[in-house]
Amino acid sequence: EIAQCLVGSEMCIRDRLGAALYGFLNGKMQSGIDVLLELNNFEEKLDSTDIVITGEGKTDYQSACGKVIYGIARKCKKYNVPVLVISGSLGEEINQLYSMGVSGMEASVCNIISLNNAMDNAEKYLCYAAERVLRVLKTGMELVQNEKI
């Protein structure tokens, strides 16, 4: 309750430590992905970037709520840099990510398999998914180069 009073109703406090730092130690509430992107000069790098490929374990409705993909897509959209997402799986309500700057999404696992299998073979499945995405990208580039679109 004290943290709620200190922070106000507009900010969501999920973490008591974060609330304590904010309220009692004059901390500053910031998005984790925003801090990481700023520390790595992400926006400066976008000036010379043609495409960004990113991902996470599972892309779902939560991905649009300030997680890594949201942060990256938002910055890339500002610079008109397309974002492709490769994730372990794609969940529900992911279409909202398109309006946030994501151009396309691919799941690394195409079949119904156990979580243990997916984790044990994550590198292999990720490579397969990356190849699928890059082949589609190459096809698009060839169509443009040959003036077919």
Side-chain angles (χ1 to χ4, degrees):
E1 293 176 340
I2 293 171
Q4 182 68 26
C5 290
L6 290 170
V7 174
S9 61
E10 291 184 20
M11 191 173 291
C12 178
I13 298 296
R14 295 181 186 158
D15 180 55
R16 290 182 185 177
L17 177 59
L21 290 172
Y22 182 83
F24 299 111
L25 300 176
N26 297 318
K28 181 179 177 184
M29 297 296 286
Q30 291 182 283
S31 161
I33 186 58
D34 287 343
V35 171
L36 288 174
L37 294 175
E38 185 176 329
L39 286 172
N40 287 288
N41 301 312
F42 187 76
E43 286 193 61
E44 292 174 23
K45 294 172 182 169
L46 289 176
D47 284 334
S48 59
T49 301
D50 295 320
I51 191 166
V52 170
I53 300 175
T54 187
E56 59 188 355
K58 180 178 182 179
T59 300
D60 58 16
Y61 67 94
Q62 293 181 5
S63 302
C65 297
K67 291 176 69 178
V68 172
I69 290 174
Y70 166 80
I72 289 174
R74 191 174 41 129
K75 299 286 186 189
C76 289
K77 184 176 183 177
K78 182 176 170 183
Y79 290 86
N80 294 316
V81 175
V83 176
L84 299 177
V85 174
I86 302 174
S87 297
S89 67
L90 300 174
E92 296 180 16
E93 300 179 37
I94 59 173
N95 287 347
Q96 61 187 328
L97 290 168
Y98 294 124
S99 65
M100 295 177 180
V102 172
S103 300
M105 294 178 264
E106 176 72 25
S108 62
V109 176
C110 294
N111 298 315
I112 298 173
I113 60 173
S114 70
L115 180 58
N116 285 339
N117 183 352
M119 298 294 283
D120 290 344
N121 296 291
E123 184 176 356
K124 176 176 76 172
Y125 293 133
L126 180 59
C127 286
Y128 290 160
E131 181 179 0
R132 291 191 303 272
V133 166
L134 293 175
R135 285 180 178 276
V136 170
L137 187 60
K138 180 181 177 209
T139 300
M141 292 171 66
E142 289 170 350
L143 288 170
V144 170
Q145 187 176 28
N146 296 330
E147 298 179 6
K148 293 189 176 186
I149 59 170

